[in-house]
Amino acid sequence: GENVEQHPSTLSVQEGDSAVIKCTYSDSASNYFPWYKQELGKGPQLIIDIRSNVGEKKDQRIAVTLNKTAKHFSLHITETQPEDSAVYFCAAALYALNFGKGTSLLVTP
Amino acid sequence: ETGVTQTPRHLVMGMTNKKSLKCEQHLGHNAMYWYKQSAKKPLELMFVYNFKEQTENNSVPSRFSPECPNSSHLFLHLHTLQPEDSALYLCASSQDRLAGGSSYEQYFGPGTRLTVT
């Protein structure tokens, strides 16, 4: 089955800096790659996704890149703010979402 | 709010108890999911329902029993659980289930924090 590796497990950045979280996947058939943000006491919330026919997608301060050949995809957050502090999960999917273990991001003022 | 509600938000139960978790979605979606979230592990898909029919059971022990009476409601019946079943149980819904060439955003509820004593 699909195996998704996510790094780093924790990330601390200063407000205004950029944050990058990387994921690799094993099943070359996977074609959908969402990113979820989970705040304390809440369920995961989709923040951006990308499909296999696209190499990059941007939404304001958030961007995702996909390298299908290398089977890895990354989340980039620019101009980080304290409210970006949360746990971020990547996932790779063909018929079901396979999640990474998550990255705990802390943005310090 | 995501349009997916779960009750109760917290549950403590003994190993001999029987309890149920409830999930309701107000989004008009056709697919609903149960996930288990444990510390330091990826979210684990437990069950998938599409149009009230169970389409996936990821080798979940029989002490977890799902029920989907209609496309808006999903239950997880629990009995004779083990301490290792303590986790956050998340419900999600999507317009339709993932199907190879198409993908649908999954909306998650806030979860039920379950503690088995």
Side-chain angles (χ1 to χ4, degrees):
Chain A
E2 174 67 277
N3 182 44
V4 178
E5 298 284 339
Q6 183 172 347
H7 298 280
S9 55
T10 60
L11 179 59
S12 183
V13 299
Q14 284 210 304
E15 184 176 0
D17 288 350
S18 294
V20 181
I21 302 170
K22 298 182 179 182
C23 289
T24 60
Y25 61 100
S26 59
D27 188 352
S28 56
S30 291
N31 61 4
Y32 176 57
F33 307 91
W35 285 88
Y36 284 84
K37 175 184 180 182
Q38 187 174 23
E39 297 174 312
L40 204 60
K42 296 185 178 180
Q45 181 181 4
L46 180 75
I47 54 171
I48 195 167
D49 58 13
I50 193 167
R51 286 157 177 81
S52 58
N53 58 347
V54 176
E56 184 174 354
K57 184 176 178 180
K58 235 179 181 180
D59 183 3
Q60 299 182 332
R61 297 185 297 108
I62 293 173
V64 57
T65 59
L66 171 65
N67 184 327
K68 282 217 75 182
T69 304
K71 289 189 282 189
H72 64 71
F73 56 113
S74 301
L75 177 71
H76 304 253
I77 306 174
T78 58
E79 300 169 29
T80 53
Q81 300 165 4
E83 51 265 39
D84 294 330
S85 297
V87 179
Y88 291 80
F89 294 94
C90 64
L94 179 60
Y95 295 104
L97 290 179
N98 298 279
F99 286 87
K101 290 185 179 180
T103 296
S104 180
L105 174 64
L106 177 65
V107 180
T108 54
Chain B
E1 296 300 324
T2 63
V4 180
T5 58
Q6 290 187 245
T7 54
R9 294 294 308 277
H10 300 272
L11 178 63
V12 179
M13 60 186 288
M15 289 191 284
T16 58
N17 291 159
K18 286 185 181 181
K19 296 285 184 185
S20 295
L21 310 185
K22 180 183 175 181
C23 175
E24 183 173 1
Q25 57 96 359
H26 311 271
L27 302 167
H29 289 168
N30 298 315
M32 296 188 77
Y33 311 78
W34 279 116
Y35 287 89
K36 177 183 179 182
Q37 186 175 34
S38 306
K40 313 245 187 231
K41 291 172 83 172
L43 272 77
E44 301 171 52
L45 179 64
M46 300 174 73
F47 302 104
V48 181
Y49 277 83
N50 199 42
F51 290 99
K52 303 186 300 178
E53 298 298 319
Q54 188 179 124
T55 59
E56 196 154 339
N57 174 341
N58 270 4
S59 304
V60 180
S62 59
R63 57 186 185 268
F64 296 91
S65 174
E67 179 190 0
C68 188
N70 54 61
S71 292
S72 299
H73 294 86
L74 186 64
F75 295 89
L76 189 62
H77 304 300
L78 316 170
H79 64 97
T80 58
L81 294 192
Q82 305 299 311
E84 59 265 28
D85 296 322
S86 298
L88 182 69
Y89 288 85
L90 290 161
C91 173
S93 72
S94 62
Q95 184 59 54
D96 283 293
R97 64 177 297 247
L98 285 171
S102 59
S103 50
Y104 298 99
E105 177 178 350
Q106 289 189 17
Y107 293 80
F108 284 83
T112 295
R113 175 67 62 187
L114 174 67
T115 303
V116 181
T117 60

